[in-house]
Amino acid sequence: MYHFSDIIGEDRLTGHLRETIRSGKLSHAYILTGPKGSGKMMLAETFAACLCCTGRGESGDEPCGECLSCIQAEGHNHPDIVYVQHEKPRTISVNDIRSLREDTAIRPYQSSHKVYIMEDADLMNPAAQNALLKTLEEPPSYVCILLLAQSEDQFLPTIQSRCVHLRMQPVAEPLVEDYLRSARGVEPGWARICAGFSGGSIGRAVSLATDETFRERREAAVKLMRGIHTADTASLAAFAQEAAKDTAVLDETAEFIRMWCRDVMRCAAAGDTDSLFYADEDAAIFEESLKLSPGDIGRVMDALEEYDYRMRYNASAAPALTSLLLKIRDAGSKE
């Protein structure tokens, strides 16, 4: 079972919820926002388990993990923790909310609270939100509704005004890296790479750590950058064309290239290989850094900025990436 102490990098939110539990000053509705993999469900389930726990005592602010209520919560079969379902995959309709409203009239079976967890709550259409509003305006004293969404933008102002907002923040990369290493047993070098691409999301970092396709794309980018100064234009263009077939692959590939260049420039400036993103490629990074003059570094930085500018204004992806690779290739070349 998860505890608030297991939720990394969200001390402000967990502290708020723990104080809420200690004080008993519970809101009837919360909006939890954050990107996919940010830990919204983990936070919601921990909060729900703690509200229903019978073993935490009067001042306890963590689920005990041992009582019947906690065992049921962990198994997702607690009668007073309700996961709101919806019939249509991309819409939460007024009929779905009517079912919720009817259920709120039934008192808790065994706990002092009845907690409703609605994932992807931003899928509620306006009619559904207006139906939910009636419950939020006059909720039974035992009801707590947790609305999980990537953003609060899709909620009506009337819904937002009746909910407490809890916004998940990106977790610092060192904390993500440490979690992958200590809790998931990920090799240190790979943990650093996955943390760097996680966007501060523990869930995304865990997914990347076990994604063999992601590892293969990383290896392809490293192979390219190791030999970029001897690559011909046709091979670089072919690489860019393949990467540009998928937006997610393109973004990852561009970031792999950017981080390689960042490591080379850092090594060239500092003269050492400490704290490299590509720690397992330190010898190749150091060798590459010896080839670059200050002017070369400036040209690589300009090329990266130009690529970002072109992509921001919807330039054709393959030519933009090809141009970046050619400019990196030519930096440091001796005429």
Side-chain angles (χ1 to χ4, degrees):
M1 157 160 279
Y2 291 124
H3 294 76
F4 286 119
S5 57
D6 297 321
I7 299 173
I8 299 169
E10 295 291 354
D11 294 346
R12 181 181 59 83
L13 292 190
T14 57
H16 171 80
L17 293 178
R18 293 171 95 161
E19 176 58 30
T20 294
I21 293 166
R22 287 193 297 267
S23 67
K25 297 178 180 179
L26 179 70
S27 173
H28 289 295
Y30 294 82
I31 295 175
L32 283 67
T33 59
K36 293 284 188 182
S38 60
K40 299 186 297 294
M41 181 58 75
M42 181 179 179
L43 182 65
E45 291 183 335
T46 303
F47 187 39
C50 198
L51 288 175
C52 295
C53 175
T54 60
R56 58 184 169 85
E58 293 183 2
S59 60
D61 57 5
E62 287 274 22
C64 73
E66 298 178 355
C67 68
L68 174 62
S69 180
C70 283
I71 293 171
Q72 290 174 322
E74 186 175 16
H76 290 176
N77 57 10
H78 195 295
D80 299 323
I81 299 176
V82 181
Y83 292 84
V84 179
Q85 305 296 320
H86 49 99
E87 296 178 358
K88 298 179 181 179
R90 299 302 305 164
T91 302
I92 299 176
S93 70
V94 66
N95 289 332
D96 299 319
I97 300 304
R98 284 173 181 156
S99 297
L100 182 155
R101 288 178 55 198
E102 291 172 1
D103 192 76
T104 61
I106 304 172
R107 297 190 63 83
Y109 290 94
Q110 65 187 48
S111 305
S112 58
H113 296 92
K114 196 167 187 180
V115 186
Y116 295 84
I117 300 176
M118 186 187 301
E119 192 172 16
D120 297 325
D122 44 354
L123 295 179
M124 281 190 293
N125 59 34
Q129 294 191 47
N130 283 319
L132 180 63
L133 186 60
K134 296 179 180 179
T135 298
L136 298 183
E137 288 173 338
E138 298 180 358
S141 60
Y142 48 81
V143 164
C144 180
I145 299 174
L146 307 180
L147 305 175
L148 281 56
Q150 294 195 52
S151 164
E152 62 206 36
D153 296 344
Q154 299 302 314
F155 293 111
L156 297 174
T158 48
I159 295 289
Q160 295 190 39
S161 66
R162 287 165 174 79
C163 299
V164 172
H165 294 216
L166 302 176
R167 300 175 178 88
M168 308 291 287
Q169 300 297 318
V171 180
E173 282 186 25
L175 293 178
V176 178
E177 180 182 345
D178 182 67
Y179 173 81
L180 291 176
R181 295 172 61 177
S182 61
R184 298 286 179 158
V186 178
E187 183 272 325
W190 190 236
R192 176 175 295 180
I193 289 169
C194 294
F197 276 79
S198 70
S201 165
I202 294 287
R204 174 162 169 74
V206 171
S207 177
L208 291 176
T210 57
D211 185 345
E212 286 303 315
T213 302
F214 177 73
R215 188 185 290 269
E216 290 168 4
R217 288 199 289 266
R218 184 261 187 184
E219 292 304 318
V222 167
K223 181 179 179 181
L224 175 79
M225 298 309 291
R226 281 202 210 106
I228 193 166
H229 292 300
T230 58
D232 59 61
T233 300
S235 65
L236 295 180
F239 179 92
Q241 191 71 41
E242 184 64 28
K245 290 179 179 179
D246 183 279
T247 300
V249 173
L250 176 70
D251 290 345
E252 281 182 2
T253 300
E255 189 63 15
F256 283 134
I257 293 168
R258 183 178 290 105
M259 298 307 289
W260 178 278
C261 293
R262 189 202 69 172
D263 276 357
V264 171
M265 290 185 287
R266 176 180 293 176
C267 189
D272 59 51
T273 55
D274 291 341
S275 302
L276 294 181
F277 180 77
Y278 290 104
D280 57 337
E281 295 290 331
D282 56 351
I285 295 287
F286 182 75
E287 181 180 351
E288 176 69 10
S289 71
L290 297 177
K291 301 175 183 177
L292 300 182
S293 68
D296 295 326
I297 293 174
R299 283 187 282 275
V300 171
M301 293 177 65
D302 289 343
L304 290 168
E305 290 179 4
E306 180 185 351
Y307 174 81
D308 290 340
Y309 177 86
R310 293 178 67 178
M311 295 310 297
R312 191 160 55 245
Y313 289 96
N314 299 315
S316 296
L321 183 58
T322 301
S323 176
L324 171 63
L325 293 174
L326 289 173
K327 289 175 180 178
I328 295 172
R329 181 194 68 179
D330 295 340
S333 61
K334 307 302 179 184
E335 296 183 358

